[in-house]
Amino acid sequence: MKLRSREVVEGIESLPRRALLKAVGVTDSEMEKPFVAIANSYNNVVPGHTHLRDVSAAVASGIEEAGGVPFEFNTIGICDGISMGTEGMHYSLPSREIIADSVELMLQAHRFDAVVCVASCDKIVPGMMMAMARVDIPSIMVTGGPMRPGEWKGQQLDVISAFEAVGAVKAGKMSVREALMIEERACPSCGSCAGMFTANTMACMCEALGISLPGMATTLAVDAKKFRLAKQSGNQIMRLLKLGINPRKIMTRAAFENAVVVDLALGGSTNTVLHLLAIANDAGVKLSLDVFDRLSRRTPNICSMRPGGPYMMADLDRAGGIQVVMKKLGRLIQRSPMTVTGRRVGANLKFVSTEKFATPENSEVIRPVNMPYRKEGGIAILFGSLAPKGAVVKHAGVSARMMRHRGPAKVFDSEEAATRAIFAKSVKPKDVIIIRYEGPKGGPGMREMLGPTAAIVGMGLAESVALVTDGRFSGGTRGACVGHVSPEAAEGGPIAAVRDGDEILVDIRARKLEVLVPPKELKQRLSRFKPPEPKFKKGYLSLYYRLVSSADEGAILK
């Protein structure tokens, strides 16, 4: 296979380009070697990224050891937790497209032969995977690893503990002093937040897809093993280059189905639905909400991870991580997809011993398929008169009592208005909170709503109130929270016609989301719908508003 970098360095015509490369220290002998990019999202803003400079150095060492020349560049990274509940959250999901575009541009413009992407957190990892799929040169994903859990009064803590403490203080269930103690202890190290939230779910998806080395997803950010895996990834990218194994040979339909099955077994974040749809689109693979729904009905939820359960990523790692999850899933996992090991999934799993991790505690972290936490997968897709094109709920985080809920709508046209009402105790048991105009276009940017969902939990309403939105949720959300309602309100979806007091039915077991209004009346209301004015008239969000698709298509740009 001819190296792409030869376009840059071969022949007398390349003399000026070689001169520029020599200015950054490339030697004559290195000009003859493969050029391997390291796309790094290091910054010192985001806890999941602060250690990535060191992780990248380990990758570079591995590349050099295997005979390649590493070149590092950076891309942006937004922390959802820091921007949560502010105007900044409008920019989080849209940043995924900027990340994908920026990595694509650097790889294509400089004709790199291969790439190792080093990243953490919610939009950054999927953005880089989208670029991998587009450019289709040998690629490996190195995810930065989870944060250590905090501890207080014998309980494990994470960032969700801090969000829920706010609601508990406002409800009079916790003192300010206690909440400040949680603030001090909730995030004790670098790494992506300690539970099975979006960042860590996406890392698990990378490993399940076969685009990360086995063990990568759950190895903690502060574990020396992370740096060994990073160096091995640098070594392995050179082997993939020699073998001609590109992302599209790995990211097949069967591989995506494996990732969905693992997601459902873990009870992962609902945001993975958006991201897997978007990555599949760039990989040329047809994936739809129907796939999630079909696989959910036959995939048992064998892990009970935070926020819906007690276990943290550190617990999952001690129990053997994603490879043990896949091994325990047995025939639900397809063995044929290729992976970055250079072997197929089935060959990788032959090296996995579940007995090595078979302690009583670990057997609870990853249960066998015949003793699951739930018989169905952790994510459910709902359809009905309120969501003709679908809606998403993490039912691994929903109590049995709230699997079917019917109540009057309490309608809000923004996240902020809903949060104020919850804290003001205007929301009562049995209510169904409707938050609209927060979708991909309506937001714009489909803000995560950890504020109102954490407020519901903190105020003691999680067992009596449901929330339905055309926006989305943090991977840290728990409770009867239904998001991604499509079509969204800004596009004239039925959610735009809901009024205070309308009866709403959320039936997760039956996969139904209904507004119990006569169809004729609902149609009349929608006939009077007028799209709202865009909230942003200039800047990137103005462009995003004009180009973004519906949530059921992955909120991709068209």
Side-chain angles (χ1 to χ4, degrees), residues 184-197:
E184 287 290 328
R185 292 161 172 77
C187 301
S189 77
C190 63
S192 45
C193 300
M196 186 60 75
F197 315 139

Side-chain angles (χ1 to χ4, degrees), residues 104-173:
E104 175 193 357
L105 290 168
M106 287 293 287
L107 296 180
Q108 296 288 46
H110 298 106
R111 312 311 292 154
F112 286 113
D113 300 308
V115 61
V116 179
C117 290
V118 179
S120 243
C121 300
D122 300 30
K123 311 308 161 305
I124 301 89
V125 170
M128 288 192 173
M129 291 173 72
M130 289 163 69
M132 287 178 178
R134 289 178 197 173
V135 180
D136 200 33
I137 57 176
S139 307
I140 293 180
M141 188 78 229
V142 173
T143 50
M147 183 183 288
R148 281 196 303 109
E151 190 274 333
W152 187 56
K153 290 187 175 181
Q155 298 291 317
Q156 292 194 107
L157 300 177
D158 53 39
V159 71
I160 306 307
S161 309
F163 275 99
E164 291 180 357
V166 177
V169 169
K170 289 183 178 289
K173 297 180 178 182

Side-chain angles (χ1 to χ4, degrees), residues 198-457:
T198 308
N200 290 322
T201 309
M202 281 310 305
C204 295
M205 296 301 93
C206 292
E207 193 172 325
L209 266 171
I211 205 73
S212 287
L213 288 179
M216 183 67 74
T218 58
T219 299
L220 268 60
V222 294
D223 191 332
K225 182 182 175 184
K226 180 61 69 177
F227 297 91
R228 296 196 299 273
L229 284 167
K231 188 172 184 179
Q232 288 167 19
S233 296
N235 277 180
Q236 187 64 16
I237 195 66
M238 298 302 296
R239 183 161 178 255
L240 294 185
L241 184 59
K242 184 177 180 180
L243 294 172
I245 298 176
N246 293 357
R248 290 196 181 199
K249 292 181 180 177
I250 294 170
M251 295 181 182
T252 61
R253 169 64 181 241
F256 277 102
E257 290 198 0
N258 279 349
V260 172
V261 166
V262 170
D263 193 6
L264 297 166
L266 293 170
S269 166
T270 53
N271 286 316
T272 54
V273 177
L274 283 176
H275 297 323
L276 289 175
L277 289 173
I279 297 162
N281 177 69
D282 278 319
V285 173
K286 186 173 176 56
L287 200 65
S288 68
L289 290 181
D290 293 334
V291 175
F292 289 83
D293 190 52
R294 172 174 57 82
L295 294 176
S296 180
R297 293 176 187 274
R298 64 185 180 91
T299 302
N301 176 206
I302 61 174
C303 299
S304 185
M305 305 294 297
R306 279 279 289 170
Y311 297 111
M312 299 285 193
M313 291 298 294
D315 301 311
L316 183 61
D317 190 54
R318 280 191 293 270
I322 297 308
Q323 297 301 302
V324 169
V325 171
M326 294 176 77
K327 184 93 169 189
K328 286 193 174 185
L329 286 168
R331 293 182 180 179
L332 291 167
I333 294 295
Q334 299 177 60
R335 265 49 181 179
S336 61
M338 179 58 68
T339 75
V340 292
T341 65
R343 300 185 297 266
R344 298 189 183 276
V345 169
N348 288 342
L349 292 180
K350 284 181 181 178
F351 293 95
V352 178
S353 169
T354 57
E355 291 162 8
K356 177 181 174 183
F357 303 96
T359 66
E361 183 179 353
N362 287 346
S363 296
E364 280 299 298
V365 177
I366 309 173
R367 285 187 175 180
V369 291
N370 61 349
M371 294 178 62
Y373 286 97
R374 296 175 188 267
K375 292 181 179 179
E376 293 186 344
I379 290 175
I381 309 299
L382 313 185
F383 293 92
S385 58
L386 190 52
K389 291 187 177 180
V392 181
V393 62
K394 180 157 82 172
H395 78 72
V398 181
S399 70
R401 180 177 173 181
M402 292 297 291
M403 293 295 283
R404 189 180 191 278
H405 181 82
R406 176 173 172 167
K410 201 97 172 178
V411 182
F412 303 95
D413 287 346
S414 71
E415 174 189 357
E416 291 83 356
T419 304
R420 286 193 299 269
I422 295 165
F423 284 143
K425 301 183 180 179
S426 299
V427 173
K428 306 299 181 187
K430 289 196 174 181
D431 283 348
V432 178
I433 299 169
I434 302 286
I435 305 178
R436 61 192 181 192
Y437 297 107
E438 290 286 5
K441 284 185 181 295
M446 208 179 181
R447 291 188 290 176
E448 287 185 353
M449 298 194 195
L450 186 53
T453 61
I456 288 169
V457 173

